[in-house]
Amino acid sequence: MSAFSAINEEREIERDEFTPGIEPQATWCPGCGDFGVLKALKQAMPEVGKNPDEVALFTGIGCSGKLNSYFNSYGFHTIHGRSLPVARAAKLANPNLEVIAAGGDGDGYGIGGNHTIHTARENHDMTYIVFNNEIFGLTKGQTSPTSPKGHKSKTQPHGSAKSPIRPLSQQLNAGATYIARTAAVNPNQAKEIIAEAIEHDGFAHIDFLTQCPTWNKDAKHYVPYTDVQQSDEFDFDVSDRAEAAEMMRKTEERLYEGEVLTGRMYIEDERPSYGEEKRQIGEMPEEPLAERYFDEDAEWERTYDNLLEHHK
Ligand SMILES: Cc1ncc(C[n+]2csc(CCOP(=O)(O)OP(=O)(O)O)c2C)c(N)n1
Ligand code: SF4
Ligand SMILES: [Mg+2]
C-alpha cells in the first residue's frame, strides 16, 4: 500500500498496529520515562483514527530518538537537533501525512533550539514531542538546557551557573498554537494531550517530562503532579494569551521548586498553518507535491532522477 492510497482510509484502528512486526526489545533503562511516551503515543492513535501508513515520525538523536524503532509508521531517525526541518519538508510535500517529530531537551532546546523557535513561528502543522528529562541521557548525563541552576554533572561539577530554558513560555512567544506539558507518570493525560495535539491544525508543542533514573538521580520523578485543568487552584482561559503566559510562568517556576504542574497551557485555533497560508496565496498547489514524483506527465524538474542526470 502506498503512502497516498492509505491516507484517509476509514476503518477501526488498533493500538497494536503501531507495534513493529518483529518487535525490537527497547534498550531504554528500566524505569525510564521514555516508555511512557511510547505507550501514550500508541494509545493516542486509535483515538485520532490514524493507521500506520498515514503517520510519519521524525526523531532526533538521543535516548528519545529511539522512539521510531519501537513505533510502526513511516519514520526518519534524523541527526541531532534536526528532526524539525526534515519533518517540515515532509509535511509540505505531502500535507495529508500526519507528521510527528520527537526528540530530547538537548536535541530540541539546545542544538536544535533555532529550528524549534522557527517551526513554531511559522506554525507548521505537526506535533512536536520533547522528552524533557533535564539532562543529556544518551551521552551519559551532561547538563542540558533544562537542567536546574546549580545542577551538578560531569560537565558542570561545581553546579550549573546557567538558568534553565523556559520551553513553554519560549514556545508561546515563538508562535506555537498548541502548547501543553504532560508527564510519563500520567499516561492517560499524556494520551489525551497527544491526540489533541495531532488533531490541532498548526504547530503543537508538548513538553513531556520523562524521568531519567540512570543519569539524573537528583531529578524529580515528576510525582506528585497536578493537572491544571482538574485543579480548583488554577482558573485560566487557555485561549487567552496573557492568562496562558501567566500560567506558564507559574508552571515553569514551580517545577524548579519541586511542584509539577501539567496540562494544556495555550490553544489557538484561528491561525492558519504555514502550508495553509501558502495554499491560500497560491504558492503551493492543492494536491500533494510528493505525488508529482510518481506522475510521468508532470513537468517536474527537481526529481532525484534529474538530479543524478545533471551530475553525470
Ligand atoms: C551534531 C551532534 N552533536 C552532538 C552529538 C552527541 N549527542 C548525541 S545525543 C546527545 C544529547 C542527548 O540529550 P537529549 O537530546 O536531551 O536526549 P536524551 O538522550 O536525554 O533523550 C548528544 C550531545 C551528536 N550525536 N550529534
Ligand atoms: S539513560 Fe536515562 S533517558 Fe536514556 S534510556 Fe536510560 S533512563 Fe532513559
Ligand atoms: Mg534529555
Side-chain angles (χ1 to χ4, degrees):
M1 192 178 282
S2 83
F4 301 116
S5 60
I7 285 174
N8 297 330
E9 187 192 21
E10 284 196 15
R11 63 177 177 81
E12 196 124 317
I13 311 294
E14 304 287 332
R15 129 186 195 187
D16 284 349
E17 294 178 46
F18 289 87
T19 302
I22 303 168
E23 194 176 348
Q25 286 300 310
T27 56
W28 292 318
C29 313
C32 175
D34 296 8
F35 286 103
V37 185
L38 177 63
K39 185 173 174 198
L41 182 61
K42 281 187 186 172
Q43 284 181 337
M45 289 302 153
E47 305 246 325
V48 294
K50 295 288 170 194
N51 70 60
D53 295 290
E54 295 174 292
V55 180
L57 174 65
F58 299 83
T59 55
I61 301 296
C63 297
S64 41
K66 296 175 184 174
L67 183 71
N68 51 7
S69 301
Y70 316 129
F71 185 78
N72 185 35
S73 70
Y74 288 100
F76 194 146
H77 196 170
T78 72
I79 51 174
H80 196 36
R82 302 299 184 266
S83 65
L84 287 173
V86 183
R88 282 157 57 165
K91 184 69 186 179
L92 290 175
N94 189 358
N96 296 329
L97 205 55
E98 197 56 63
V99 169
I100 302 170
D105 44 315
D107 194 273
Y109 301 148
I111 191 168
N114 175 28
H115 297 305
T116 303
I117 289 171
H118 290 281
T119 310
R121 176 172 76 89
E122 294 170 15
N123 197 28
H124 287 269
D125 183 16
M126 63 178 68
T127 300
Y128 184 36
I129 302 173
V130 179
F131 295 52
N132 183 0
N133 55 11
E134 305 180 40
I135 199 119
F136 288 4
L138 187 75
T139 45
K140 305 193 173 177
Q142 298 85 352
T143 303
S144 90
T146 50
S147 302
K149 195 168 182 181
H151 173 87
K152 289 188 180 168
S153 70
K154 285 180 196 157
T155 46
Q156 314 272 316
H158 305 293
S160 171
K162 301 173 202 171
S163 285
I165 270 185
R166 270 47 178 176
L168 305 170
S169 307
Q170 187 198 55
Q171 284 295 287
L172 182 70
N173 287 328
T177 47
Y178 182 102
I179 306 168
R181 168 170 278 171
T182 187
V185 286
N186 191 354
N188 284 337
Q189 183 205 52
K191 173 200 71 179
E192 283 166 21
I193 283 181
I194 292 175
E196 277 175 26
I198 289 174
E199 284 178 333
H200 176 77
D201 291 330
F203 189 68
H205 184 100
I206 304 173
D207 185 77
F208 206 126
L209 299 171
T210 49
Q211 69 279 4
C212 171
T214 301
W215 294 108
N216 201 4
K217 292 196 169 58
D218 298 340
K220 310 117 230 161
H221 282 228
Y222 309 116
V223 273
Y225 55 81
T226 303
D227 181 333
V228 296
Q229 264 80 38
Q230 305 291 326
S231 160
D232 293 338
E233 189 191 340
F234 306 103
D235 181 22
F236 75 107
D237 177 357
V238 282
S239 65
D240 184 298
R241 209 179 170 82
E243 289 186 27
E246 178 53 18
M247 187 66 237
M248 290 177 186
R249 191 191 61 75
K250 276 188 205 150
T251 301
E252 296 185 316
E253 252 176 45
R254 293 198 196 177
L255 181 68
Y256 294 110
E257 291 161 6
E259 186 183 354
V260 183
L261 302 178
T262 62
R264 292 98 180 138
M265 298 285 155
Y266 182 61
I267 305 174
E268 207 231 281
D269 284 322
E270 299 301 315
R271 194 177 148 209
S273 68
Y274 181 79
E276 206 39 59
E277 294 218 34
K278 292 282 251 186
R279 278 185 287 280
Q280 276 171 18
I281 60 171
E283 267 195 10
M284 265 179 61
E286 287 298 326
E287 82 279 5
L289 272 175
E291 278 186 26
R292 293 192 181 181
Y293 186 84
F294 300 97
D295 179 356
E296 303 224 327
D297 298 328
E299 282 183 42
W300 182 240
E301 306 233 319
R302 295 171 58 214
T303 63
Y304 183 59
D305 304 336
N306 283 337
L307 189 77
L308 292 184
E309 194 61 35
H310 288 307
H311 287 83
K312 265 189 183 164

